[in-house]
Each structure stands twice: as structure tokens, then as C-alpha cells.
Amino acid sequence: QLQLQESGPGLVKPSGTLSLSCTVSGDSISSTSYHWGWIRQTPGKGLEWIGNIYYSGTTFYSPSLKSRVTISIDTSKNQFSLKLNSLTAADTAVYFCARVGAHFYYYMDVWGKGTAVTVSS
Amino acid sequence: SSELTQDPAVSVALGQTVRITCQGDTLRNYYTSWYQQKPGQAPVLVIYGKNNRPSGIPDRFSVSSSGDTASLTITGAQAVDEADYHCQSRDKSGNHAIFGGGTKLTVL
């Protein structure tokens, strides 16, 4: 059974960098059928797509976050990671990782439970 | 920028049929996926593409599309269907995901 688990600090300082990891179990992150993505949800609001990565390292980023985001993949650890820099309070959110089907249809079919991140001094 | 618009809230009587809509220019060219989210939980994919439902999703959930509007229909809504529903599709480039603002469904 495929599972995804986010990990990382729950509190980060303004102007700092957020680093999160997503550990995948039950499937290989090197699958050619899927991408791996990050999505966030600000308190009481909708979902915001951050970006995806393919096993080859090819990345796709949200245009609104592109200047601050880096997503990387470590196939040896079956993990992928998110870095978001120049943080402000507006980046306070629950961050989810997900498996993404993006070749024909575009969908996120397996999600992690999410990790809450607060940006505050 | 590409945007998807959803009604903030919709209600339905128990056992009745409800339609939740999602509007956006890119929906003329791309399919929509729909997610159900209950408080404090991660979203769950309920349907994507041409009525593709993941394992375990009941067939009372269906989708349709016309022009720039996609719709999620729940036929015979149950109390367990009370949740937020988010639509998702692609932006104009086709490479990026976009989400609607979500619709809170209340089952009366």
C-alpha cells in the first residue's frame, strides 16, 4: 500500500528557508508513470499547487512561487524534498506531498497526511 | 493567470442530488479532477478524467463538462459526503496544476 509521509520543522523564521521531505513507501519513486508533487493549504483556504518533480529530475513549478522554490529527488532514499526561501507569514500553511498522475489526465491520487508549518519569529 | 472558480458553499437534503461546479477558461481544453476533504484530513481524490473513480469511491459521484464549466454530481447524497470539494485542472501551459477555491458541501 502506497504511503507518503512529510517531515520537517513546524516553525521557521521569516526570511528563512523551509525544508521539507516526503518519504515514499510501498512504491518506487523511480516509477515512470507518475510525478511527485507538493501542495499547500493556508488556514481556512483552498489548495495551492507548489510544484512537481519526475524521477529524472525534471521539475515544474508554480509561476507564482517559482523564484523561491526548489524541489529535488533522491531515488536512493525513495524521497523527494521541498525548499522554499525568503519566507513570510503568508507561507504559513499545511504542506502536503502527493503522487501525481500527469501524463494524460492530471490528478493527485495519494496524499501524505500533511505537515503544518508556521512562519514566525 | 489561469483561475478556477467554485461556489463557496452548497447544501443538499439527505438522499437528494447535488451538483458542484467549477468554472475556468482552461476547462475548455483540459479535464478536471475532484477532491473531497474533511476537517483536519488530507484531500482524497474522488474522480478524474472521464468519470474515473479510484478504488473505494462510490458510483454516486460522477462528472460532466460543458464549455468552461465542469461539474461534480453526487446522486443520493449521504451524510458522509459532507466535506469540502476542490476542483483541479491544468493552466494554459498544460504543465502546471491549478485548484479552485473549494466548495463546502452541507448535507441537511
Side-chain angles (χ1 to χ4, degrees):
Chain A
Q1 178 186 358
L2 177 65
Q3 291 185 317
L4 286 77
Q5 178 67 58
E6 306 89 351
S7 59
L11 178 66
V12 287
K13 294 187 184 304
S15 77
T17 296
L18 170 65
S19 296
L20 298 176
S21 293
C22 181
T23 300
V24 178
S25 58
D27 190 16
S28 172
I29 204 168
S30 297
S31 168
T32 58
S33 300
Y34 296 99
H35 293 205
W36 305 92
W38 289 98
I39 304 97
R40 70 181 183 180
Q41 186 170 33
T42 50
K45 294 193 177 179
L47 299 167
E48 180 182 16
W49 177 73
I50 299 171
N52 293 346
I53 191 164
Y54 195 47
Y55 81 99
S56 61
T58 299
T59 52
F60 301 90
Y61 297 136
S62 166
S64 64
L65 295 171
K66 183 175 183 177
S67 64
R68 300 194 291 129
V69 172
T70 302
I71 298 176
S72 58
I73 194 165
D74 187 337
T75 55
S76 67
K77 294 183 179 178
N78 229 36
Q79 283 183 346
F80 62 106
S81 300
L82 168 71
K83 289 189 186 297
L84 181 65
N85 59 34
S86 303
L87 295 171
T88 70
D91 296 309
T92 293
V94 176
Y95 287 75
F96 298 97
C97 60
R99 187 175 75 170
V100 182
H103 294 298
F104 182 65
Y105 301 124
Y106 201 127
Y107 56 90
M108 293 123 193
D109 65 340
V110 183
W111 294 63
K113 295 183 186 297
T115 187
V117 175
T118 300
V119 179
S120 175
S121 55
Chain B
S1 62
S2 303
E3 293 184 349
L4 298 179
T5 301
Q6 297 183 244
D7 292 327
V10 171
S11 62
V12 61
L14 184 68
Q16 296 303 300
T17 296
V18 62
R19 179 174 293 182
I20 299 170
T21 61
C22 177
Q23 185 176 22
D25 285 342
T26 63
L27 301 189
R28 298 181 184 277
N29 301 310
Y30 298 116
Y31 288 102
T32 307
S33 299
W34 291 88
Y35 304 85
Q36 177 192 72
Q37 186 180 29
K38 297 184 178 181
Q41 298 183 18
V44 173
L45 177 68
V46 294
I47 200 162
Y48 65 97
K50 287 184 179 180
N51 279 308
N52 296 292
R53 287 183 302 276
S55 174
I57 301 300
D59 61 5
R60 63 177 179 271
F61 291 90
S62 63
V63 293
S64 59
S65 180
S66 178
D68 68 350
T69 300
S71 300
L72 172 71
T73 299
I74 307 174
T75 304
Q78 304 299 304
V80 296
D81 299 333
E82 186 164 288
D84 292 333
Y85 289 85
H86 306 273
C87 63
Q88 172 259 310
S89 188
R90 301 175 188 258
D91 74 351
K92 291 179 182 178
S93 76
N95 291 321
H96 305 142
I98 51 174
F99 284 94
T103 297
K104 182 177 181 59
L105 176 67
T106 300
V107 180
L108 303 172

